[in-house]
Amino acid sequence: MSENKGVLIVGELLEGKLASITGELLGIGRKLADSLGQNLSAVLIGSGVGDLANEAVALGADKVYVIDNPMFKDYLTDAYVGALEKLVKETNPEIVLLGQTATGRDLGPRLGFRLGTGVTLDCVALAIDPETKLMQKTKPVYGGNALAMYVGEDRPQMATIRVKSMEPLPKDASRKGEVKAFDPALDASKVRGKMVNRVKEEVAGIKLEDAAVVICGGRGMGGPDPFKTVLADLAKMLNGAVGATRPPCDSGWVPTINQIGLTGKIVAPTLYIGIALSGSSQHLAGMTGSKNIVAINKDGEANIFGVSHFGVVGDYKKVLPAFVAKCKELVAK
Amino acid sequence: MNLIVCVKQVFDPETPAASFKIDPEKKRAIPPKEKPMVISPYDESAVEAALKVKDANAGTKVTVLSMGGDSAKEVIKHGLAMGGDEGVQLTDPAFDDSDSFATASILAEAIKKIGPCDIIFCGRQEADWDAGQVGSGIAELLGIPSVTAIKKIQVKDGTAVVERILPDGYEVVEVPLPVLVTVSNEIGEPRYATLKGIMAAAKKKVTNWSSKDVPAVAAKNKMLKLFIPVREAKCEFITGETPEEAGAKLAVRLREAKLF
Ligand SMILES: Cc1cc2nc3c(=O)[nH]c(=O)nc-3n(C[C@H](O)[C@H](O)[C@H](O)COP(=O)(O)OP(=O)(O)OC[C@H]3O[C@@H](n4cnc5c(N)ncnc54)[C@H](O)[C@@H]3O)c2cc1C
């Protein structure tokens, strides 16, 4: 068997474009490939991949494999794992990286087990050990209370990376790279399962994960109403989106797609305002990438203040209306 | 039908960050004294999902499977008290250093030994190492399909109709049995173990297996270190005579900092 070489990232598409995670994967993939003195390749898998391969080159790839077939229009575990297994076996990469997304967290472990290698999910830091040349994979454990660093000797070395934990490279349209179609020649009859329906539960306004301002409410909001009134008001005024910790989602106060955290959305806005939430490690996992963190909580000892830049200790029912009124006044000026 | 649910015992994951401690030498968390060990929350959701299938399909048997120390029996009993039928416990010091790969391999062997099974349920991610891959691993090792992070499952004519959670909604997938699913909390509040259920659980059968029954497997990943990240707390607290005044001053301060 030929030697394992190079870094392969598994890109993702979103509504006909490269998903932002693809840029993040290419950014860290480039670093790892450079420190190994090897190449970076990407694979784009879907239906109607079109020009996106060139964009992946502009974002750092030396080579892009395109698996373009109506069979891959929807994500189905069997089909995607089967296709990637063939590509990996043929190209023998040293490292394979995926995103910690709905797709990656399903695909990553299944592919890793098929290839007989140890995967590490949800990494927030990856580096090459200068001595052993092995990839060190660091990920939050215990809900984010601690970090653990892992290595594995099997090949390929595999990891998924947390959304928004890595920086993409600036797009450079002059970068040169090779684009290559890859046909995994999968037997469609071997794909178990089929997609019956896809149900969108989108909320109006700016998407939580893209918003520059996030207003997040916790269990202490006490019920669904404040989310629809004062939080929505504030979000509208600051051109932001409303999010929540898990309890308001579990209680049905807000749709679950608004959940921020370890098992919800990862946000990294310019301004995050957390109201009546304690700052559990599982929630922090989804928001500590925010540039400016503001907290309002009646408990001065709440963990959220430990990661905040600005804080007010007090009952949100009194603090928040006055805050919103003053914001309105200042914005109007 | 035969269903198997994999459950794991963990430290209470809601332990506040301030009382969370680790032993960096042993690379393990130190159990908080005052808090009892619990069933990993998503595993409890997995038990709930299995019991929902059992409720809808007469003659269904639910086996609760756990690998862990002696006290793993408590989480098996918890699953049985909720309504599971039988338990299987895998305990052996040789299992202690299992990573996700080893865990999935050992559980897959145990599942084969338990006998033919239609659906395997796991939590979407355990609350200690947050690895999130044992379910998919078991499915791959058994060569059966898997659907991860589900919030609903129904069985009809040898297939499972499953709702899988997506960032902007969910998708409905149809898969042939046998299948493995990993379950998320959106499946709904797990049912309480009633007093009657707890008493019944005491009489239900729990089989014990060691590495003589199911061989231990070597880990693939090695943990180099475990550490608590240092966070620099530099919160500027805004105060006022009244909470209202503090709120207004916060707005002024954020405006000053050009944050809106
Ligand atoms: C495996 C796992 C995964 C999880 N994933 C997530 C996740 O992705 N996201 C997530 O958020 N959680 C997650 N959780 C749950 C998490 O552990 C916490 O339970 C949750 O984040 C707590 O939400 P909270 O801060 O809103 O509520 P609480 O911890 O109950 O805090 C409420 C806060 O509100 C304050 N308060 C109450 N009333 C007022 C008032 N009138 N004015 C001002 N302040 C007030 C209180 O002082 C308190 O600090 C997960 C848990 C597990 C076990």
Side-chain angles (χ1 to χ4, degrees):
Chain A
M1 220 172 86
S2 70
E3 205 191 336
N4 291 76
K5 238 183 161 88
V7 177
L8 173 71
I9 68 107
V10 180
E12 286 189 42
L13 314 183
L14 186 70
E15 286 155 5
K17 297 195 183 121
L18 285 187
S20 52
I21 185 72
T22 308
E24 295 158 18
L25 285 162
L26 286 165
I28 181 67
R30 187 70 263 166
K31 273 196 198 137
L32 297 178
D34 289 345
S35 46
L36 287 168
Q38 297 178 2
N39 276 342
L40 171 65
S41 37
V43 51
L44 297 178
I45 174 165
S47 176
V49 176
D51 288 339
L52 298 177
N54 293 319
E55 211 180 315
V57 170
L59 284 166
D62 298 311
K63 192 167 186 173
V64 183
Y65 298 99
V66 176
I67 304 180
D68 197 341
N69 189 312
M71 186 176 173
F72 302 112
K73 187 174 148 292
D74 295 315
Y75 175 73
L76 275 173
T77 309
D78 264 8
Y80 273 57
V81 175
L84 289 176
E85 178 194 8
K86 293 234 174 131
L87 180 70
V88 170
K89 286 193 171 151
E90 201 166 305
T91 59
N92 256 326
E94 161 99 34
I95 290 174
V96 176
L97 304 178
L98 303 95
Q100 176 75 355
T101 57
T103 296
R105 50 166 57 130
D106 186 87
L107 180 55
R110 187 102 205 190
L111 182 64
F113 273 81
R114 184 159 307 177
L115 297 168
T117 190
V119 200
T120 305
L121 267 66
D122 201 22
C123 294
V124 292
L126 296 172
I128 302 293
D129 180 335
E131 268 162 41
T132 61
K133 300 285 173 205
L134 289 174
M135 177 168 66
Q136 299 171 330
K137 310 178 270 190
T138 303
K139 71 160 286 170
V141 293
Y142 287 98
N145 277 317
L147 292 170
M149 184 195 273
Y150 298 94
V151 286
E153 307 233 343
D154 297 284
R155 296 295 191 281
Q157 303 172 75
M158 276 183 71
T160 72
I161 65 159
R162 179 174 286 191
V163 173
K164 297 191 166 95
S165 66
M166 311 279 167
E167 287 292 323
L169 296 170
K171 215 177 266 183
D172 175 2
S174 68
R175 268 192 62 90
K176 294 274 173 293
E178 185 189 347
V179 176
K180 206 173 165 194
F182 182 81
D183 178 8
L186 274 198
D187 179 352
S189 70
K190 295 257 165 66
V191 175
R192 298 158 295 185
K194 65 167 195 268
M195 181 76 63
V196 185
N197 194 10
R198 223 176 161 297
V199 182
K200 275 208 167 197
E201 288 177 334
E202 237 157 349
V203 278
I206 306 165
K207 266 185 155 173
L208 190 53
E209 55 274 50
D210 302 336
V213 176
V214 168
I215 314 295
C216 184
R219 182 174 1 225
M221 298 308 297
D225 291 340
F227 284 92
K228 296 187 189 103
T229 54
V230 64
L231 295 194
D233 236 28
L234 183 57
K236 203 167 160 209
M237 184 180 34
L238 301 180
N239 221 353
V242 176
T245 59
R246 190 165 125 186
C249 300
D250 282 355
S251 309
W253 301 346
V254 292
T256 48
I257 56 169
N258 292 51
Q259 184 180 316
I260 296 173
L262 184 65
T263 47
K265 301 251 158 74
I266 308 276
V267 299
T270 317
L271 177 61
Y272 164 100
I273 306 182
I275 304 155
L277 54 88
S278 61
S280 68
S281 57
Q282 293 91 351
H283 179 67
L284 298 192
M287 49 66 68
T288 38
S290 308
K291 314 281 172 306
N292 298 282
I293 301 173
V294 179
I296 299 173
N297 194 308
K298 65 179 183 191
D299 171 10
E301 299 293 307
N303 199 43
I304 187 72
F305 289 123
V307 299
S308 298
H309 304 94
F310 299 98
V312 172
V313 180
D315 187 337
Y316 90 84
K317 287 182 195 138
K318 297 195 173 124
V319 177
L320 198 56
F323 173 71
V324 176
K326 193 71 183 178
C327 285
K328 270 194 186 143
E329 193 188 308
L330 294 170
V331 166
K333 260 189 207 162
Chain B
M1 276 195 298
N2 285 313
L3 313 180
I4 294 178
V5 195
C6 301
V7 298
K8 182 179 189 185
Q9 191 179 40
V10 297
F11 303 152
D12 188 338
E14 307 245 356
T15 303
S19 54
F20 179 83
K21 304 221 159 47
I22 56 165
D23 179 339
E25 291 297 308
K26 289 199 184 116
K27 300 182 202 123
R28 285 281 178 273
I30 300 168
K33 276 200 195 68
E34 66 286 10
K35 291 239 181 189
M37 302 274 276
V38 296
I39 181 170
S40 188
Y42 292 121
D43 296 352
E44 196 177 23
S45 296
V47 176
E48 176 60 30
L51 294 174
K52 282 198 163 91
V53 172
K54 178 179 160 153
D55 292 343
N57 297 274
T60 296
K61 178 175 158 192
V62 175
T63 304
V64 182
L65 169 65
S66 183
M67 181 178 97
D70 290 330
S71 62
K73 187 156 189 174
E74 287 166 28
V75 289
I76 295 176
K77 286 285 179 194
H78 181 82
L80 297 179
M82 284 170 72
D85 299 290
E86 268 183 28
V88 176
Q89 181 176 354
L90 301 166
T91 302
D92 197 301
F95 298 153
D96 282 357
D97 288 321
S98 297
D99 66 346
S100 306
F101 183 86
T103 304
S105 307
I106 295 164
L107 290 174
E109 277 312 305
I111 288 166
K112 279 192 218 160
K113 200 172 155 78
I114 290 170
C117 153
D118 301 286
I119 311 175
I120 301 158
F121 297 80
C122 293
R124 65 180 276 182
Q125 151 172 349
E126 1 83 293
D128 47 8
W129 298 112
D130 290 317
Q133 50 172 310
V134 165
S136 299
I138 293 172
E140 182 60 37
L141 294 166
L142 294 175
I144 63 173
S146 55
V147 188
T148 53
I150 69 152
K151 63 171 185 143
K152 194 171 177 186
I153 175 165
Q154 277 174 304
V155 181
K156 61 171 192 208
D157 312 326
T159 61
V161 183
V162 173
E163 291 180 9
R164 173 173 180 258
I165 295 164
L166 295 176
D168 59 352
Y170 62 95
E171 61 191 16
V172 186
V173 192
E174 221 176 86
V175 259
L177 304 182
V179 66
L180 181 141
V181 294
T182 75
V183 182
S184 193
N185 57 294
E186 288 89 345
I187 197 91
E189 194 73 25
R191 63 196 64 189
Y192 280 109
T194 59
L195 189 60
K196 202 170 137 219
I198 294 167
M199 277 155 60
K203 297 196 195 91
K204 289 177 183 170
K205 185 174 133 199
V206 178
T207 306
N208 281 287
W209 284 337
S210 70
S211 62
K212 287 195 203 82
D213 307 285
V214 181
V217 174
K220 291 236 176 237
N221 271 324
K222 192 172 129 204
M223 198 195 297
L224 292 182
K225 57 178 176 181
L226 178 69
F227 57 103
I228 295 183
V230 259
R231 285 208 177 98
E232 279 173 53
K234 263 199 245 117
C235 184
E236 177 183 329
F237 283 97
I238 315 285
T239 54
E241 292 290 317
T242 61
E244 287 84 357
E245 193 190 314
K249 276 168 76 181
L250 175 66
V252 174
R253 183 69 186 93
L254 296 188
R255 183 68 167 186
E256 234 173 61
K258 298 196 169 58
L259 292 180
F260 71 88

